[in-house]
Amino acid sequence: MNQIGPIFRALLRNKVGALLLALQIALTMTIIVNAIHMIENRSSMMARESGMDEANQFHLMYVGYKDSFNERVAVETDLLEIRKLNGVVDATQINSTPLSGGGWSMGLTTTPNSQDGTPVSLYFVDDHGLNTLGVELVAGENFSQTEVTYRLSNDKQWPQNILLTEAAAKNLFPDLTPAEMIGQTVFIRDDEPMTIKGIIDHLQAPWVQWSNVNNVMLVPQRGLWNANRYLVRTAPGERDRLMREVEELLLAKRDGRLIRNVTAMDEQRDDAYQDFFALQTVLWVIVTVLTLVTALGIVGMVSFTVNQRRKQIGTRRALGATKGDIMRQFMLENLLITGSGLIIGVASSIALNIWLVDTFSLPRIGWHYLPIAMVVLVIVGQLAVLGPARKAANLSPALATRTT
Amino acid sequence: MLKMTSVRKTFRTDTIETHALRDFDLQVEEGDFVAVTGPSGSGKTTFLNVAGLLETFDDGDYQLDGKSVQGMNDRQLAQLRNEKIGFIFQSFNLLPDLNLFDNVDVPLRYRGFNSAERKQRIEQALETVGLANRMGHYPAQLSGGQQQRVAIARALAGSPRFLLADEPTGNLDSNMASGVLDLLSEINAQGTTIIMVTHDPSLAQRAQRNIFVRDGQVTEVQTGTNIQELLQQTAQV
Ligand SMILES: Nc1ncnc2c1ncn2[C@@H]1O[C@H](COP(=O)(O)OP(=O)(O)O)[C@@H](O)[C@H]1O
Ligand SMILES: [Mg+2]
């Protein structure tokens, strides 16, 4: 360590080369830190619970194409028959599901005609909705069978009672406990009142990147639309069989409809996060390549320096440097360059993150990324120097007299 | 004391073997000032490198201060170089990115002296060579003669027993060369043993002892011998 003073002073004499390498390291750190931050951010988004029992659920779409197809008869008989199938836990009609990327949202307010509404996504379900989705009531009650009504494409009216996720209700009534939220009135379409009948623990909106993804409202209605969807929950291990059986059951009715998109919920999850996966892969590749390029840059730069300084190294050996002294000299020199690069890197990492936060509303970087990245890059730098430094240490002391 | 007995050194490449030293016998006493002359390629630098532990040898025995250096490991050799030997090179070999102070400091740091002792030694060594007032300068800011003085200060700072110089005046004009030789004579007068390779007969005359190397072997010559003649004879053989 007692070589550090002269090494530092010598570096200051050769600022440009050292500075360029330091800047490369700073850039590498900046990109690595933010890339890993984005990777982790996506991972934590992917780790969020949809609120459903994904391993045991699937859904399918059906579309009537004959005039004779009666949506209302179909939904009533279909659901009765599906629920009777061996291995089916429950089934409901639903307009959309979490992770599907398509759905319906509205604004709710606590006073009529108020400007700042709370956005919620809507799922139309019947009294079997909760059980089929696999969500729990925190307070209040489920819909009763009798309050489930039918909704036509052009209906504008909203039913009396609704269920809300706790997150949505907290947005509306920050100061109330779930029990106190029961019976509260919220307004939809400016001034139509609805009553909170129950609070459910957790359920995601269909859009995984939506900032209000935890705001969900369940509405006790069945749709009589052109295309409708059933969600089916099965006993563990029975789903794959029932996906075929339910489809066959509906097709066997030959009542003039098409069955489409029979989809397992976890398959749906993979689809929903496919872009995230792709982004993470690209970012990992960037992180790896950039680290490698930086390491190779260090190897190249130090090899070049060693070659340039053959005579100096021989002279140092003649003056009493051991092989270890020569190794240490190059390691220390690299440590100083890497170190100053990393100090710049801390500042630029934070700067890039601030810009990303502002521009793409990414979350703030966790401070722990910085020391970890610094340690990793110091290790990478020292490993990269190892080869050329060893070569330098093995140069003959006779180079002091033999080179001109 | 430095004693070589039948030392051999052979350089081998794919195509040729060069016997740089063969049965090289030499004893240098404490306080000697030995000038080494000889034709180019005769083995002078090889001898100095072996003597200074910069190169190993193949056969024979070499004792430095009564101890055989055969079988010493790299660390021990480095320590011996550091403590007992000072080197002066034809092209000065100062480290261009270090100022004079730091240049003289190089061997002292390897020695492990504390900073107070290093400072004192550096200042005194630079004082001795008359450059104490330029400690913050860089080698490129000095003339050749001044650079060689710094190199001498660097060699001296660790108080070595032996000073080995390979054509120390080879890159200097005669004026500067003479100044450097004055300095070496002074140092020798203080008790440091000096072995100096030179191709300049007039400088060799100023050493107390002259040896002549030919085909890797030593011949003792009387100081004051016309070395120019010897060189010409060798050329004719
Ligand atoms: N590293 C080496 N490899 C091969 N041959 C060498 C090497 N170093 C020196 N020689 C040869 O050894 C002989 C002695 O060289 P040297 O001691 O440098 O001579 P001098 O210093 O007297 O001019 C020369 O023939 C030279 O070519
Ligand atoms: Mg030579």
Side-chain angles (χ1 to χ4, degrees):
Chain A
M1 262 331 239
N2 85 338
Q3 305 293 330
I4 202 158
I7 292 174
F8 185 67
R9 291 193 283 279
L11 272 181
L12 288 182
R13 298 259 301 164
N14 295 293
K15 281 191 225 69
V16 179
L19 194 71
L20 283 178
L21 191 56
L23 285 179
Q24 189 190 343
I25 287 160
L27 182 73
T28 304
M29 171 168 174
T30 306
I31 293 174
I32 284 180
V33 161
N34 281 281
I36 291 181
H37 172 58
M38 282 169 79
I39 290 170
E40 276 219 353
N41 173 245
R42 298 290 141 150
S43 284
S44 63
M45 285 174 84
M46 286 158 74
R48 293 172 310 183
E49 306 267 347
S50 67
M52 297 176 70
D53 180 20
E54 288 168 31
N56 302 307
Q57 290 165 323
F58 68 93
H59 58 83
L60 56 81
M61 305 260 303
Y62 60 93
V63 185
Y65 62 86
K66 276 192 187 159
D67 288 344
S68 62
F69 182 72
N70 183 325
E71 273 94 359
R72 185 161 174 163
V73 171
V75 66
E76 280 175 1
T77 55
D78 288 351
L79 285 172
L80 283 177
E81 291 169 27
I82 292 171
R83 286 168 190 159
K84 270 198 214 121
L85 287 177
N86 194 14
V88 168
V89 171
D90 214 341
T92 184
Q93 195 198 49
I94 195 166
N95 60 314
S96 166
T97 67
L99 305 167
S100 68
W104 191 341
S105 79
M106 295 290 284
L108 298 184
T109 57
T110 51
T111 51
N113 302 310
S114 149
Q115 281 308 306
D116 35 32
T118 293
V120 294
S121 77
L122 278 59
Y123 295 124
F124 296 93
V125 292
D126 61 23
D127 51 319
H128 292 257
L130 289 192
N131 193 35
T132 311
L133 285 162
V135 297
E136 300 286 337
L137 271 174
V138 179
E141 283 173 39
N142 188 12
F143 303 126
S144 67
Q145 192 183 352
T146 50
E147 69 186 303
V148 176
T149 56
Y150 284 88
R151 187 178 189 94
L152 294 165
S153 297
N154 53 0
D155 274 355
K156 295 275 188 279
Q157 300 294 311
W158 292 89
Q160 176 61 42
N161 289 332
I162 54 156
L163 308 182
L164 285 177
T165 56
E166 195 171 347
K170 269 270 175 247
N171 267 337
L172 290 157
F173 304 103
D175 302 325
L176 299 190
T177 65
E180 291 165 341
M181 292 164 182
I182 305 303
Q184 296 288 339
T185 301
V186 294
F187 296 90
I188 193 164
R189 291 212 307 142
D190 297 336
D191 57 0
E192 274 185 55
M194 301 187 297
T195 306
I196 300 177
K197 187 179 185 193
I199 301 294
I200 58 174
D201 54 354
H202 175 62
L203 188 62
Q204 278 190 335
W207 314 281
V208 293
Q209 299 210 62
W210 196 36
S211 54
N212 303 295
V213 67
N214 294 326
N215 287 4
V216 170
M217 171 169 84
L218 297 185
V219 182
Q221 287 193 306
R222 286 174 170 172
L224 300 177
W225 303 319
N226 294 330
N228 293 288
R229 186 190 309 264
Y230 292 144
L231 176 68
V232 181
R233 184 178 179 196
T234 71
E238 307 282 4
R239 185 184 63 195
D240 292 356
R241 172 180 61 83
L242 284 162
M243 283 171 75
R244 285 190 304 275
E245 277 183 29
V246 171
E247 183 173 11
E248 279 160 19
L249 175 109
L250 297 179
L251 284 174
K253 298 189 169 199
R254 301 182 175 281
D255 52 2
R257 62 172 142 183
L258 301 170
I259 308 295
R260 294 216 309 253
N261 303 341
V262 186
T263 310
M265 268 315 287
D266 34 22
E267 191 185 325
Q268 172 111 26
R269 165 172 285 272
D270 290 346
D271 278 0
Y273 289 117
Q274 200 179 15
D275 289 355
F276 283 30
F277 265 123
L279 179 70
Q280 284 185 319
T281 310
V282 169
L283 289 174
W284 271 125
V285 169
I286 289 174
V287 165
T288 312
V289 168
L290 204 59
T291 308
L292 272 177
V293 166
T294 304
L296 288 178
I298 293 172
V299 172
M301 158 109 177
V302 179
S303 299
F304 177 76
T305 312
V306 168
N307 242 341
Q308 247 187 346
R309 294 192 204 159
R310 284 163 61 87
K311 185 175 179 179
Q312 290 187 37
I313 293 162
T315 303
R316 283 180 178 276
R317 294 278 278 137
L319 297 177
T322 60
K323 291 182 178 189
D325 288 327
I326 300 297
M327 287 276 291
R328 266 190 295 282
Q329 184 196 337
F330 283 96
M331 311 283 284
L332 258 178
E333 189 174 307
N334 173 266
L335 193 65
L336 286 174
I337 295 175
T338 310
S340 39
L342 293 178
I343 290 168
I344 305 170
V346 168
S348 53
S349 299
I350 294 173
L352 177 61
N353 182 243
I354 289 174
W355 182 76
L356 289 174
V357 170
D358 283 356
T359 316
F360 302 107
S361 52
L362 230 67
R364 280 278 177 75
I365 212 163
W367 71 270
H368 64 279
Y369 285 97
L370 301 172
I372 292 173
M374 289 171 91
V375 168
V376 168
L377 284 172
V378 162
I379 292 172
V380 167
Q382 294 287 291
L383 288 179
V385 185
L386 217 53
R390 189 170 291 150
K391 211 175 266 176
N394 284 327
L395 288 175
S396 165
L399 286 171
T401 52
R402 295 291 188 194
T403 37
T404 47
Chain B
M1 198 197 67
L2 178 158
K3 188 177 175 197
M4 287 187 182
T5 317
S6 303
V7 166
R8 278 171 206 242
K9 173 75 179 175
T10 307
F11 291 107
R12 291 191 176 80
T13 62
D14 291 343
T15 45
I16 36 167
E17 274 192 1
T18 311
H19 300 282
L21 297 179
R22 39 182 150 193
D23 296 323
F24 198 96
D25 290 306
L26 182 71
Q27 180 156 344
V28 176
E29 302 299 336
E30 201 75 46
D32 272 359
F33 188 161
V34 183
V36 183
T37 51
S40 169
S42 60
K44 303 182 297 295
T45 295
T46 306
F47 154 63
L48 215 62
N49 280 356
V50 169
L53 309 174
L54 300 181
E55 246 161 54
T56 55
F57 52 97
D58 304 318
D59 207 0
D61 185 47
Y62 171 30
Q63 300 200 348
L64 187 67
D65 259 352
K67 245 197 238 161
S68 176
V69 302
Q70 195 83 331
M72 286 189 175
N73 65 28
D74 187 80
R75 176 178 284 275
Q76 292 169 313
L77 292 173
Q79 190 180 352
L80 271 186
R81 288 196 292 269
N82 186 239
E83 291 179 4
K84 301 216 162 167
I85 301 168
F87 285 98
I88 303 168
F89 307 95
Q90 178 171 0
S91 47
F92 324 133
N93 293 24
L94 295 177
L95 302 174
D97 296 323
L98 299 181
N99 64 25
L100 304 196
F101 186 97
D102 282 339
N103 258 288
V104 178
D105 199 13
V106 169
L108 305 181
R109 282 183 186 258
Y110 293 136
R111 187 81 160 262
F113 286 140
N114 65 38
S115 68
E117 166 144 29
R118 296 203 315 266
K119 184 166 188 286
Q120 188 252 321
R121 280 174 176 269
I122 295 163
E123 283 168 359
Q124 191 185 334
L126 284 170
E127 189 78 49
T128 304
V129 302
L131 287 164
N133 56 340
R134 309 192 64 167
M135 286 191 293
H137 287 217
Y138 286 85
Q141 297 170 300
L142 304 183
S143 72
Q146 288 170 324
Q147 289 191 45
Q148 195 59 298
R149 283 167 178 278
V150 177
I152 291 170
R154 181 176 68 184
L156 278 183
S159 320
R161 304 276 296 285
F162 302 93
L163 210 55
L164 304 185
D166 193 358
E167 314 228 14
T169 59
N171 284 3
L172 302 178
D173 65 33
S174 60
N175 221 357
M176 286 180 174
S178 170
V180 164
L181 216 77
D182 291 344
L183 191 55
L184 290 181
S185 300
E186 259 173 59
I187 291 161
N188 176 244
Q190 309 280 323
T192 308
T193 309
I194 298 180
I195 302 175
M196 173 183 75
V197 171
T198 181
H199 59 269
D200 184 338
S202 68
L203 294 181
Q205 308 264 340
R206 294 179 56 178
Q208 139 215 122
R209 188 177 159 196
N210 278 6
I211 60 170
F212 191 78
V213 176
R214 189 183 350 222
D215 292 335
Q217 287 185 307
V218 203
T219 324
E220 198 81 29
V221 292
Q222 211 57 49
T223 311
T225 308
N226 191 334
I227 291 162
Q228 206 63 50
E229 243 168 48
L230 266 178
L231 283 170
Q232 277 159 13
Q233 282 170 21
T234 315
Q236 283 158 16
V237 172

